Amino acid sequence: MFDRLEAELSLLLTQMENQPEDRHEMYLSLREKLNEMRAFGMPVPDDILELERALEAEFLETKM
């Protein structure tokens, strides 16, 4: 399970780098994967948590 989620997370990060115009869609997918990891009690790497917070702040700013 962890390996699958880790692979999906890696793919999402690669997509974010290659397709920056789809950042919001990727952010939503990232949150979904991280929530799955949390639900299973899996650790979320600190750098990914920082990315999640940064993206959340970015999209909250654009809503205002």
Side-chain angles (χ1 to χ4, degrees):
M1 175 59 108
F2 181 74
D3 291 337
R4 178 186 64 82
L5 287 173
E6 192 174 60
E8 290 175 1
L9 186 58
S10 178
L11 178 62
L12 281 171
L13 294 175
T14 300
Q15 288 175 338
M16 287 180 80
E17 290 174 2
N18 295 333
Q19 300 170 352
E21 67 277 359
D22 294 335
R23 286 175 65 87
H24 190 259
E25 181 79 25
M26 298 297 169
Y27 165 67
L28 295 175
S29 296
L30 174 66
R31 285 193 58 191
E32 181 181 320
K33 296 302 171 200
L34 293 179
N35 286 336
E36 281 184 57
M37 292 177 78
R38 291 176 180 119
F40 288 106
M42 297 175 183
V44 179
D46 289 337
D47 58 340
I48 303 298
L49 289 174
E50 289 177 31
L51 174 62
E52 178 187 33
R53 287 184 204 116
L55 289 171
E56 183 175 19
E58 177 183 326
F59 293 117
L60 286 175
E61 276 183 22
T62 60
K63 282 186 169 181
M64 295 180 170

